[in-house]
Amino acid sequence: MAQAVRKRRKEARPAELLEAAFELFVERGFAATRMDDIAARAGVSKGTVYLYFPSKQAVFEALVRQSVLPNVERLIGETARPDTPVLEILPRLLRAITHTVAGSSLQQFPRLIIAESPQFPELAQFWRETVIDRMLGVVSGLIERGIAAGEIRPVDPADAARLMIAPLLMAVIWGTTFVRQDESFELGTFIDRHLDIYLRGLAVETRP
């Protein structure tokens, strides 16, 4: 029985270490957090942290793979509907991303990366390659499909994809950094208003 408990504890330890690391990254920043701090917050020795993660960069990358990537893959799976009009898929996708991010710890990643990227550009590069480029590739592919189907007017797919995602990034940063205590800011409402303008801009003009 004791051996089984120890085994379960060992299997759970990487997740516990990542949880401790994320709390510290948000509280103190990536630069100010040491591996010793992660060990202390998780209640283990520094050697235990290095047993699972060889560096602080490896801790960050593991955090993204554990907390963010499963959500990215799930959201991308929702776009695999070849018979559904693209102008229906795009708002569903952005609203699903918003619903996933709103009120969760995922909101802290953009603020953390922007704050730390001047000193640690590798964090921003990893985030871009792992998360942003993946999502932008899917959205631009959908826009290309919409153009070919005659749903969407001829636009640059890459720029149109950035224009769809960028307001969400701005809104997340606004909500976690700039919003005042006396100010009401609802992420879902903001995204609905953005989609209303964005989708009108993509749609093919209808002539009387």
Side-chain angles (χ1 to χ4, degrees):
M1 182 66 177
Q3 185 175 358
V5 171
R6 284 196 297 272
K7 182 180 179 181
R8 286 196 299 271
R9 174 67 177 167
K10 185 176 181 181
E11 290 172 349
R13 187 159 287 148
E16 294 171 355
L17 293 172
L18 291 177
E19 182 180 356
F22 186 68
E23 290 174 357
L24 288 165
F25 291 163
V26 171
E27 291 172 13
R28 305 180 184 180
F30 184 83
T33 299
R34 303 170 304 160
M35 296 291 265
D36 308 65
D37 301 324
I38 297 171
R41 177 67 63 94
V44 299
S45 67
K46 182 179 177 181
T48 300
V49 181
Y50 280 107
L51 182 65
Y52 294 98
F53 306 107
S55 66
K56 197 164 57 169
Q57 173 78 15
V59 173
F60 175 82
E61 292 180 4
L63 263 173
V64 173
R65 292 192 179 99
Q66 175 183 282
S67 304
V68 181
L69 275 189
N71 287 299
V72 171
E73 296 303 325
R74 175 180 59 80
L75 292 165
I76 288 174
E78 295 182 7
T79 69
R81 300 173 181 176
D83 300 326
T84 303
V86 170
L87 288 178
E88 291 182 18
I89 294 177
L90 291 176
R92 288 179 191 170
L93 177 60
L94 191 59
R95 287 189 178 108
I97 296 172
T98 302
H99 180 74
T100 300
V101 170
S104 77
S105 61
L106 298 177
Q107 291 187 97
Q108 300 297 332
F109 276 100
R111 184 171 67 87
L112 173 65
I113 292 164
I114 290 171
E116 302 290 346
S117 60
Q119 189 173 353
F120 300 96
E122 60 273 14
L123 298 186
Q125 186 64 25
F126 178 78
W127 180 263
R128 172 169 179 165
E129 293 173 356
T130 308
V131 179
I132 294 178
D133 286 351
R134 184 102 167 86
M135 291 302 301
L136 288 178
V138 169
V139 174
S140 62
L142 285 169
I143 290 170
E144 286 178 356
R145 191 176 106 192
I147 294 171
E151 288 182 69
I152 295 175
R153 64 188 180 88
V155 294
D156 182 277
D159 280 347
R162 295 186 190 101
L163 287 167
M164 174 175 151
I165 299 296
L168 173 60
L169 178 61
M170 185 281 291
V172 168
I173 295 171
W174 185 271
T176 57
T177 307
F178 298 113
V179 68
R180 298 191 305 267
Q181 289 185 348
D182 62 344
E183 181 183 1
S184 175
F185 181 78
E186 210 286 311
L187 184 59
T189 301
F190 176 86
I191 292 303
D192 284 342
R193 290 169 179 163
H194 159 55
L195 281 169
D196 178 60
I197 298 169
Y198 178 78
L199 295 174
R200 289 172 187 266
L202 283 184
V204 172
E205 293 181 6
T206 56
R207 300 186 181 278

